[in-house]
């Protein structure tokens, strides 16, 4: 289900020029809204899926969310205007939000501690590996004749998931954790989440790091294709190489976290990420914002590799103390981290000026803020392990 989110974002990137031409979009930066409005719908909708799944079960609500996603995909396929397409993307995001909330809630239903972090890394690996092939799929759909076919590929994936989950997915919510759906129960669960220093702190750090990813994804097509390096049909290859670094890191993290623990591994990864982000800015300044492609790819891939040791573990650490309200907690924290990440990413993406400097500066600033938040969360005691982290 996490693949739906990844493919819905990255599959569309190669279609930006065709969409710009059809709807006569004057400012290329406006095309980034196709990513950010999706993420806004994706973020806001998460606030409802968790409480609903805590009451009615994970399976039923997951299938409902897939139905909403299918509706959004169909509307996008027949969009007569750019505004219509943006509205359809919001609906797609609302539908895909169920997968984000419920996949993490299902993991929390079944696992805890370092084992949960290991499984979460494998889930995240799917989310990160899909971008390796999603732009290529989008490019292949364009070769069929129209950007509309990109949404056909999304529709096919959603259909496969509906059939698969209908036939194979069991209910994972334990009967004793089922909660009556009411505003009072939801507000109590949210209040419990907000009072937890670890949950709020790691969710905030995760949101800031998500802003780095969203800023890069939002401007990737311009950086690699139309605005800077002009790779054309090789854009999916460059994008896939960077995504491959993230996928490799999550696989390594899944193996190491059981032995080293979530906190030591994620804290080291975050500190190194900030250091490399500073190098990324220095490299950009040294070449007036236009470093050689190979150099930019190497530094960017290294930073994406390092960020992948922090994000899955931060997600697990935020949910770790909230097992009894896993659905609502995953929902609220997902809403918070997604909106924070989308807003930060939007600022980075809209700052694109034909150079790589906005990405590097965004990584350095958001990474440093995330490190400060983690230090506050842990009261200055970084790297400490333990049974639960």
């Amino acid at each position: 289900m996490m693949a739906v989110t990844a493919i819905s974002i990255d599959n569309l990137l190669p279609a930006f020029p065709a969409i710009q031409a059809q709807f006569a979009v004057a400012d290329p930066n406006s095309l980034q809204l196709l990513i950010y409005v999706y993420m806004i719908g994706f973020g806001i909708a998460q606030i409802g899926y968790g409480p609903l799944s805590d009451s009615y079960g994970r399976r039923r609500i997951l299938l409902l969310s897939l139905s909403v996603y299918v509706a959004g995909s169909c509307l996008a396929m027949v969009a007569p205007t750019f505004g219509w397409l943006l509205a359809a993307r919001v609906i797609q995001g609302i539908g895909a939000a169920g997968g984000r909330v419920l996949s993490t809630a299902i993991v929390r239903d079944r696992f805890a501690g370092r084992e949960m972090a290991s499984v979460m890394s494998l889930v995240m690996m799917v989310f990160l590996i899909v971008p390796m092939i999603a732009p290529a799929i989008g490019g292949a759909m364009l070769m069929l004749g129209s950007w509309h076919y990109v949404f056909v590929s999304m529709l096919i994936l959603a259909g496969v998931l509906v059939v698969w989950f209908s036939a194979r997915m069991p209910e994972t919510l334990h009967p004793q954790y089922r909660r009556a759906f009411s505003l009072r129960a939801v507000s109590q669960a949210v209040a419990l989440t907000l009072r937890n220093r670890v949950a709020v702190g790691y969710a905030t750090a995760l949101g800031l790091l998500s802003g780095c990813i969203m800023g890069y994804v939002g401007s990737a097509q311009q950086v690699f294709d139309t605005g800077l390096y002009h790779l054309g049909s090789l854009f999916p290859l460059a994008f896939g190489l960077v995504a491959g670094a993230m996928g490799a890191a999550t696989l390594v993290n899944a193996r190491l976290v059981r032995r080293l623990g979530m906190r030591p591994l994620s804290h080291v990864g975050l500190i190194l990420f900030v250091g490399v982000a500073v190098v990324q800015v220095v490299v950009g300044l040294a070449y007036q914002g236009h470093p050689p492609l190979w150099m930019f790819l190497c530094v960017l891939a290294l930073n994406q590799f390092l960020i992948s040791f922090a994000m899955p573990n931060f997600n697990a650490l935020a949910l770790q103390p909230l097992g009894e309200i896993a659905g609502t907690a995953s929902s609220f924290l997902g809403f918070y981290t997604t909106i924070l990440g989308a807003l930060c990413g939007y600022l980075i993406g809209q700052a694109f000026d034909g150079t790589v400097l906005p990405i590097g500066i965004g990584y350095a600033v958001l990474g440093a803020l995330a490190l400060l938040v983690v230090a506050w969360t842990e009261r200055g005691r970084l790297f400490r392990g333990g049974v639960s982290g």
Side-chain angles (χ1 to χ4, degrees):
M1 189 65 198
M2 293 292 282
V4 169
T5 300
I7 203 168
S8 298
I9 296 172
D10 304 317
N11 208 13
L12 194 59
L13 297 179
F16 276 15
I19 293 172
Q20 181 181 11
Q22 176 162 340
F23 296 123
V25 180
D27 183 3
N29 280 5
S30 296
L31 294 168
Q32 297 177 13
L33 292 174
L34 291 168
I35 303 300
Y36 297 123
V37 299
Y38 172 91
M39 293 306 298
I40 293 297
F42 180 78
I44 292 174
Q46 290 183 54
I47 202 71
Y49 282 118
L52 288 171
S53 73
D54 280 345
S55 298
Y56 301 107
R58 316 298 190 209
R59 184 178 184 275
R60 184 184 303 178
I61 302 304
L62 183 57
L63 292 173
L64 173 64
S65 71
L66 282 170
S67 300
V68 176
Y69 179 85
V70 167
S73 300
C74 291
L75 288 171
M77 288 169 57
V78 299
T81 66
F82 188 62
W84 178 303
L85 184 58
L86 290 176
R89 289 290 285 169
V90 173
I91 296 172
Q92 272 194 306
I94 291 171
R100 163 63 175 82
V101 172
L102 296 170
S103 60
T104 53
I106 289 168
V107 171
R108 186 61 188 87
D109 288 340
R110 301 288 300 273
F111 305 99
R114 295 183 181 184
E115 189 175 11
M116 180 180 69
S118 179
V119 175
M120 199 75 77
S121 291
L122 296 176
V123 172
M124 188 65 71
M125 184 174 65
V126 174
F127 179 76
L128 296 174
I129 285 179
V130 169
M132 295 174 62
I133 59 173
I137 294 173
M141 295 296 103
L142 288 173
M143 292 177 63
L144 295 177
S146 171
W147 59 265
H148 298 82
Y149 288 100
V150 174
F151 290 98
V152 173
S153 65
M154 300 180 194
L155 196 60
I156 291 172
L157 174 60
V160 170
L161 289 173
V162 168
V163 173
W164 176 265
F165 284 126
S166 296
R168 300 294 300 271
M169 180 183 170
E171 179 56 60
T172 62
L173 179 62
H174 196 282
Q176 75 182 61
Y177 289 158
R178 195 175 291 264
R179 302 165 64 93
F181 183 76
S182 69
L183 291 178
R184 181 179 180 183
V186 172
S187 62
Q188 288 176 343
V190 170
L192 182 63
T193 302
L194 289 174
R195 287 197 298 268
N196 191 291
R197 185 187 187 99
V198 170
V200 172
Y202 278 107
T204 301
L206 178 59
L208 292 169
L209 295 183
S210 297
C212 297
I213 302 299
M214 293 310 304
Y216 159 65
V217 170
S219 52
Q221 193 274 334
Q222 291 165 277
V223 169
F224 289 126
D225 190 3
T226 57
L228 184 55
Y229 291 111
H230 303 288
L231 293 181
S233 60
L234 293 178
F235 161 57
L237 177 60
F239 193 86
L241 288 173
V242 175
M246 299 182 72
T250 54
L251 181 60
V252 174
N253 181 74
R255 293 178 177 273
L256 290 181
V257 72
R258 293 175 184 267
R259 183 166 68 251
L260 302 180
M262 291 182 279
R263 284 180 170 86
L265 199 55
S266 62
H267 295 172
V268 170
L270 178 57
I271 291 171
L272 293 176
F273 171 81
V274 174
V276 174
V278 173
V279 172
Q280 193 170 330
V281 174
V282 172
V283 169
L285 290 172
Y287 288 90
Q288 292 78 48
H290 298 77
L293 177 61
W294 68 268
M295 185 179 297
F296 175 66
L297 281 175
C298 288
V299 177
L300 181 62
L302 177 58
N303 240 347
Q304 303 297 82
F305 183 85
L306 293 170
I307 203 173
S308 301
F309 286 98
M311 292 180 68
N313 294 323
F314 285 180
N315 194 28
L317 285 164
L319 282 173
Q320 174 65 24
L322 303 170
E324 293 186 3
I325 52 168
T328 302
S330 176
S331 181
F332 176 74
L333 294 177
F335 156 76
Y336 173 54
T337 58
T338 301
I339 295 299
L340 178 58
L343 291 176
C344 292
Y346 175 79
L347 294 176
I348 295 174
Q350 290 297 296
F352 178 74
D353 57 359
T355 75
V356 301
L357 286 172
I359 294 178
I361 294 171
Y363 275 33
V365 171
L366 294 180
L369 289 174
L371 183 56
L372 289 174
V373 170
V374 169
W376 169 82
T377 302
E378 298 291 349
R379 306 181 192 275
R381 299 190 298 273
L382 300 180
F383 313 116
R384 60 188 180 89
V387 175
S388 63

